[in-house]
């Protein structure tokens, strides 16, 4: 099932999510739906709050279906190590049409649980590191625009308010 993507302005995006505690068939179905919804929206990462579900769960595939091994399920992810700095344009499915350069760590190690609840660690660089940080932020109620200057963030928020008024958001 393809879920509609929740957009900026919905409070679910700005509150911390609840830990995943049950690793059952329902979770597997939800994760399958999250991958489907992410691909339908042309994204490389999706966090559960973005489909209105306040759970510490995210999916990532920075290869966009090219490499099945690149499909990652992150339940209860934690950033355990960061290194270096890297600046790149970043966007978010919940803030469509906007992109801004964001400086983040270049190399990131994450610890998370897989679909069966097994704990694993994974280190990513550049785009994958960025995806780990961006999706973990989502689960803490944080969006990439929170990493921008207050001025840039206000400009984006003002544009979004206009789109909301026009019924285009
Ligand atoms: Ni996002």
């Amino acid at each position: 099932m393809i879920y509609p993507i929740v957009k900026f302005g919905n409070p679910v995006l700005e509150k911390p999510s609840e830990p995943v505690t049950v690793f059952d068939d329902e979770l597997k179905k939800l994760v399958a739906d999250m991958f489907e919804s992410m691909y339908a929206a042309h994204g490389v990462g999706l966090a559960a709050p973005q489909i209105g579900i306040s759970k510490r769960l995210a999916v990532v595939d920075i290869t966009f279906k090219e490499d099945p091994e690149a499909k990652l399920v992150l339940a209860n992810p934690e950033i355990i190590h960061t290194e270096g700095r890297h600046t790149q344009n970043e966007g978010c499915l919940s803030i469509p049409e906007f992109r801004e350069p964001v400086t983040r760590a270049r190399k990131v190690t994450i610890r998370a649980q897989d679909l069966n609840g097994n704990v694993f660690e994974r280190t990513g660089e550049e785009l994958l590191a960025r995806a780990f940080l961006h999706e973990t932020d989502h689960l803490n109620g944080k969006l990439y625009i929170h990493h921008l200057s207050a001025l840039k963030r206000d400009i984006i928020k003002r544009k979004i308010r206009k789109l909301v008024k026009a019924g285009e958001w």
Side-chain angles (χ1 to χ4, degrees):
M1 162 185 174
I2 295 174
Y3 284 86
I5 308 290
V6 169
K7 287 186 186 171
F8 177 75
N10 187 317
V12 72
L13 292 175
E14 291 182 85
K15 69 171 192 183
S17 298
E18 297 295 321
V20 176
T21 53
V22 182
F23 295 84
D24 58 1
D25 285 349
E26 207 177 306
L27 187 75
K28 289 185 173 76
K29 169 78 174 105
L30 175 58
V31 163
D33 288 345
M34 284 175 66
F35 274 112
E36 206 186 332
S37 305
M38 177 183 82
Y39 292 132
H42 304 285
V44 294
L46 183 75
Q50 293 184 277
I51 54 165
I53 296 172
S54 198
K55 270 192 185 175
R56 299 189 73 80
L57 181 67
V59 296
V60 167
D61 176 3
I62 59 161
T63 72
F64 199 82
K65 302 188 208 178
E66 285 273 306
D67 177 7
E69 306 238 314
K71 284 177 78 171
L72 284 175
V73 177
L74 308 173
N76 304 318
E78 279 175 80
I79 304 298
I80 57 170
H81 184 74
T82 63
E83 220 177 289
R85 282 162 80 79
H86 185 247
T87 305
Q88 196 169 40
N89 265 345
E90 195 167 317
C92 178
L93 294 176
S94 294
I95 314 175
E97 309 297 326
F98 292 90
R99 290 185 84 74
E100 288 290 336
V102 179
T103 302
R104 296 196 186 254
R106 199 188 63 79
K107 191 172 173 184
V108 171
T109 302
I110 203 164
R111 181 183 292 147
Q113 283 168 282
D114 66 15
L115 263 184
N116 300 310
N118 298 314
V119 175
F120 68 96
E121 289 181 11
R122 187 81 178 254
T123 299
E125 295 188 36
E126 299 187 2
L127 181 58
L128 186 56
R130 187 168 295 275
F132 287 163
L133 295 168
H134 181 115
E135 300 312 328
T136 304
D137 270 358
H138 268 301
L139 308 180
N140 295 325
K142 202 168 171 185
L143 301 166
Y144 84 87
I145 58 170
H146 295 132
H147 293 281
L148 305 176
S149 69
L151 179 66
K152 270 195 178 172
R153 187 166 51 248
D154 285 348
I155 291 170
I156 291 177
K157 283 186 177 176
R158 212 174 311 137
K159 286 182 182 166
I160 291 173
R161 271 199 296 273
K162 274 192 192 158
L163 290 169
V164 171
K165 263 193 194 160
E168 290 166 11
W169 189 251

